[in-house]
Amino acid sequence: MIAPELKQKLSAIVGAEDVTEDEGVLSSWRSGGAVAGGEPAALVRPSSTAEVRALLKLAREEKLNLVFSSSAPPRLRGDSVPAGEGIMVDMSKMDRIVRLDRRNKVALIEPGVTFERLIPEADAAGLKVLMPLRPKRGKSVLASALEREPIIIPKYHWDMTDPMLCTELVFGSGDLFRTGSAAGPGSLEQQWAAGGAQKNPMGPAQTDFVRVVQGAQGTMAAVTWCTLKLEVKPTIHRIWFVPDRKLSRLSEFTYRSLRPKLADEWLILNSYALAALISEKGGEEVDALAQRQAPWTAVYGVSGYEYLPQERVAYQERDLARHAQAAGVVPSPEVAGCSWKGMERILSSPSPEPYYKTAPRGDFLDLFFLSTLDRVPAFLEIMEAEAERFSYPAQRIGAYIQPIQQGRNVHVEFTLYFRPADREMAQALFLSASRALSEAGAFFSRPYGPWAELAYARCPDTVAALRKVKAILDPDHVLNRGKLCFEAREVV
Amino acid sequence: MSETAAKTFGTISEEAYRDLEEAVGPENASREPGVLDGYAWQPTNNDHPTERWVKRPVAVVLPGSTAEVQAVVRACNRHGLKFKAFSTGWGVWCGPTYDNVVQVDLRRMNRILEIDEKNMYAVVEPYAIAAQIQAEVMKKGLNLHIHGSGPNCSPLASATSGWGVGHDSIYMSYSPRNVLGAEWVLPDGEVLRLGAPGSGLGWFSGDGPGPSLRGVMRGSAGALSGLGIFTKCALKLYNWPGPPRIETEGCLLDARSEIPENMGFYLCAFPDRASFLEAVLKMGEAEIGYNALRTATAAYLNVMTPRLFKRLTDTKAIRDLMGKTLEYTIMMVLAANSREELDYQAGSLLSIVEDAGGIALDMSTQKPFVRMALMGFVRATIPALVFRIGGSFNTALDRNDALDTQENWRDACLAIKEEWISKGGILDDMGDNPYYVPYENNMWAHCEVVYQFDHRKPEHRAALEPIFLDFTIAALEQCMEPMFSSDPRVRAIIGPLAGGFNRWQREVSKALDPGEAADSTLYCGEGAFDLSAVDGAKVKRLNELIEKLKPEA
Ligand SMILES: Cc1cc2nc3c(=O)[nH]c(=O)nc-3n(C[C@H](O)[C@H](O)[C@H](O)COP(=O)(O)OP(=O)(O)OC[C@H]3O[C@@H](n4cnc5c(N)ncnc54)[C@H](O)[C@@H]3O)c2cc1C
């Protein structure tokens, strides 16, 4: 509940119909991932950048805590669950695909654009959206890129900002700022008239504020649009599976193949993560399907484009076969329960509802961090030992390894699947394993919820510098208060 | 030495100098005028209208470790001095802009600290030069991005603090996009390590936890030492399908290298702008190319045979051939891991060129040329020859974006250059002299246009500032915040039109540098063009553009 005067002020900005205190609407922000205890007091739905700026201005005057959110529920990470009381700013009404530019392979989108909206439009223009693995339905494309969710085609992940290019930001201070080549001079229309396409993610000048805003969980600025790099849609596309008993062989195959930028999609899954991904029915079927898989499976895609597509696919498949042979693994067009066509569909579309990770047991927790591929076995051992301590069956840990930055490092994701009644146990395991993994060198580069404390305890110098930047961009701490390292909690 | 240079002398107190000696050892500090003058002579891209001197530092120190760099920076803070870093020192940007600057020459920090072959990165110090790193990593089948100023430069300096475009950018990106972590001595002397190394977890990722401070470290240009000194950084390495060592005899234009079998060299020429652009876009989409460089055909002669070039430009038929017939060309160097891949790359390149109505010359059949030029491409040895024709040069850097914008920039610069060539303000290089590369399979592109001059000629010196203003006006015409906005004069004009970046940079500087110890003119200084000798119509246009492009309140 908020004071009537405040409600009036919010209504004056976004319109009374876009301010609500309805618990049915607010409840999704009470908890998410490993985060609980959110107290969303009201929700506003701005429909323009001007309204967002006005909200920020009001927030500074009234010392509000604004928590921006763009995607539909469920809340998977807890970043938009307020730490204590907060006013939710739901950006999903700003949902225009402002521009889709085939020549320059770029889209300009607002926060409310979801994968299921963008994919068909890009497809019709001959373009492909760079996807994370099976995002939930209703997931904002902008928010996904903003949170540095890994994309599944490592060769297109040149740097951590990808696939996000330019952005329009409203800093916590209320100032408007555009990053990259969108910065201007000139309005977007003037830039388009001059041939500009907002393709260059860097700058303006000698800062890259887009990097500061990415991974910030909405603590530095609100993003009102972004440009997103797209790639050409292949004319031929095939998927291969490489099942194997040993992760070490698949790692070897991955290193050999990614170095020369072979293949498009590339990911590694353990049997349970693969089963959860391909299962159509969920529940018991996942366990049964998992038992029919090899302990580990690499999945990769090969594409041909406009010119000599057959030749491209042929050389890639030959080179990949050579690497497979050297690593002692064998590619196959199918695995139990999934053909390559089926996997192609899975990799190019969002999850059906309910979100696929809830299908095996009804609830789940993701535990993810960055590292290098050669260090993954050590983390696996820790995760399994932790599971054993909590009597969680090791065979039901999902493991997903996503090479990023063209194979220079990996996103490692462990998923715990459990019945809602077992949440307490799962959460205890999750916390204990997070701590153990952090101690063993897991880099929580996207430190949601309890990971913030673990991650920032390791880097006091980074904390000191981040706080200086926060003081510039959000001097009154009106953005997602209590997250990351900015308030209250003393860093040891 | 000129009078102006003499006026720029500052001095250092005994106490301050003693502190510097203590920081680095007496043998690694100097205030000898002769030594200091060596640092004050900066011919590259120095558009000072009267001469080539920059301000003389009050002392120079050669730290050998991060701790020594910290001690120097702290001494500067204590004594009201400023510091300016110098890695390989290739340009006026590393010279002092105040009278009380300590030049921090990092040449003792020249090690390659780690090469992680599997995860494809190297951790290097500031004076590990590109040639040195490349020679080491090639032994492991890897390569690094070398920006166009060449193998003698510091990849760390460009990646953390400068720019970083090179003709391998199609395959190996732009220097700052290759940073996986950095060690940074802040202007108050504290050390900050970015990303995973900041948590003691290795050098594999430079972003986070949470917001990435790489975004404060730099933007499309670096802070040019205005925000501290970088002492280590991890750089991405890339695949090198060639031999562990390129066997080469001789150097530069006398070089004869063994050409690896799995490389291809194609000079592609197109009938017009539209066909050129179409073809380059398609090349990007086909994901081919290891090096890609568009320069004017004349530019090859200009740097390789400057005297002959000067004579040839008087011949109309040759001017037409190089300037018009071969106006739209791009050099594509292919490198592949297998015969089949090379066939695919070459086959698609030839089809693209043919479809666009162009011609592709297979230069690998021109053995003497490719044997000479191989290192020019793979190790970027050739660009430094740009000094030959006039002794100095400058470059019109634009805002990198979609390919079309780069072509527009080339056209605009060509018109400006033609005006100044005809007025005798710069050398006649036939006008068209771009250094033009696509990045990351042509995700976006870069075009700068080089202009050469002889700084002994008063008319050339006098033209430098007005030409620079012309390029600034051209950038505004095209809604560009050019990469030379690190210049205080440009920053003052363009900053307020582009989100007030000048204001935000001042804020960052204030937050990180409370003691104002960094020489930060190139990060947040603001100045004004001397408009007194500028054509009135141009000044009017400048003001109109500023008005037109003003952001809405
Ligand atoms: C012939 C020629 C061709 C060129 N071509 C290109 C090109 O193709 N692409 C391109 O990007 N540039 C080009 N340049 C410009 C080039 O970027 C710079 O000359 C080059 O980066 C200079 O870098 P350096 O490695 O010698 O470093 P320096 O000159 O030592 O440093 C460059 C700047 O960074 C600062 N700096 C250096 N080291 C540090 C440090 N450790 N910490 C903090 N600040 C530091 C310096 O103060 C200076 O401002 C060219 C220059 C020349 C002369």
Side-chain angles (χ1 to χ4, degrees), chain A residues 156 158 181 199 408-409, chain B residues 204 236-237 287 401 443:
Chain A
Y156 292 140
W158 293 76
S181 48
K199 287 284 310 258
R408 290 176 186 82
N409 41 61
Chain B
F204 59 87
K236 290 177 193 166
L237 301 174
E287 300 179 7
D401 197 58
M443 190 35 78

Side-chain angles (χ1 to χ4, degrees), chain B residues 50-289:
Chain B
T50 53
E51 21 114 318
R52 306 294 92 203
W53 297 91
V54 294
K55 286 185 187 278
R56 199 197 216 194
V58 291
V60 56
V61 291
L62 279 66
S65 67
T66 305
E68 290 186 9
V69 172
Q70 285 182 278
V72 168
V73 167
R74 288 191 171 129
C76 289
N77 274 283
R78 268 198 308 280
H79 297 286
L81 296 169
K82 292 189 186 292
F83 62 82
K84 181 84 180 180
F86 180 108
S87 282
T88 40
W90 249 46
V92 70
W93 316 281
C94 53
T97 66
Y98 288 86
D99 290 330
N100 60 342
V101 175
V102 176
Q103 186 92 62
V104 184
D105 182 342
L106 297 154
R107 73 184 60 213
R108 286 175 65 220
M109 298 178 71
N110 60 0
R111 291 173 305 165
I112 301 169
L113 299 168
E114 181 189 345
I115 296 172
D116 186 328
E117 184 180 343
K118 275 188 154 173
N119 299 305
M120 297 198 291
Y121 65 82
V123 184
V124 299
E125 292 188 329
Y127 201 82
I129 63 167
Q132 171 194 353
I133 304 169
Q134 190 185 54
E136 289 307 318
V137 301
M138 273 186 171
K139 292 177 193 163
K140 301 175 189 296
L142 292 165
N143 201 353
L144 84 158
H145 164 62
I146 300 184
H147 62 286
S149 46
N152 48 321
C153 285
S154 155
L156 174 146
S158 284
T160 60
S161 309
W163 296 270
V165 59
H167 37 271
D168 58 28
S169 288
I170 191 166
Y171 192 84
M172 295 191 250
S173 193
Y174 180 64
S175 296
R177 304 246 310 157
N178 285 324
V179 173
L180 283 172
E183 182 180 82
W184 179 1
V185 177
L186 296 167
D188 60 4
E190 293 297 315
V191 174
L192 172 64
R193 289 183 194 86
L194 302 182
S199 298
L201 300 176
W203 289 84
F204 59 87
S205 176
D207 305 87
S212 174
L213 290 164
R214 283 173 67 197
V216 176
M217 173 176 91
R218 64 165 295 153
S220 54
L224 300 166
S225 186
L227 280 182
I229 300 183
F230 295 90
T231 42
K232 291 185 186 89
C233 98
L235 295 171
K236 290 177 193 166
L237 301 174
Y238 290 84
N239 182 46
W240 164 242
R245 178 188 157 97
I246 301 177
E247 295 301 335
T248 302
E249 281 174 29
C251 67
L252 290 175
L253 301 175
D254 294 324
R256 284 182 310 283
S257 302
E258 290 303 322
I259 305 300
E261 266 182 19
N262 49 356
M263 293 188 78
F265 303 82
Y266 294 87
L267 183 63
C268 312
F270 300 90
D272 53 29
R273 172 186 162 123
S275 57
F276 165 77
L277 291 174
E278 195 57 29
V280 177
L281 288 168
K282 297 283 180 202
M283 289 173 201
E285 290 179 7
E287 300 179 7
I288 56 175

Side-chain angles (χ1 to χ4, degrees), chain B residues 341-392:
Chain B
E341 181 185 356
L342 190 61
D343 289 347
Y344 160 73
Q345 290 202 39
S348 14
L349 178 66
L350 295 176
S351 303
I352 290 168
V353 174
E354 192 184 336
D355 285 359
I359 49 166
L361 303 176
D362 181 354
M363 302 299 284
S364 49
T365 60
Q366 311 300 309
K367 282 280 181 292
F369 172 78
V370 281
R371 291 192 65 190
M372 181 275 290
L374 179 68
M375 283 300 201
F377 294 118
V378 174
R379 194 161 283 181
T381 52
I382 304 273
L385 301 180
V386 68
F387 291 107
R388 294 179 84 198
I389 197 163
S392 207

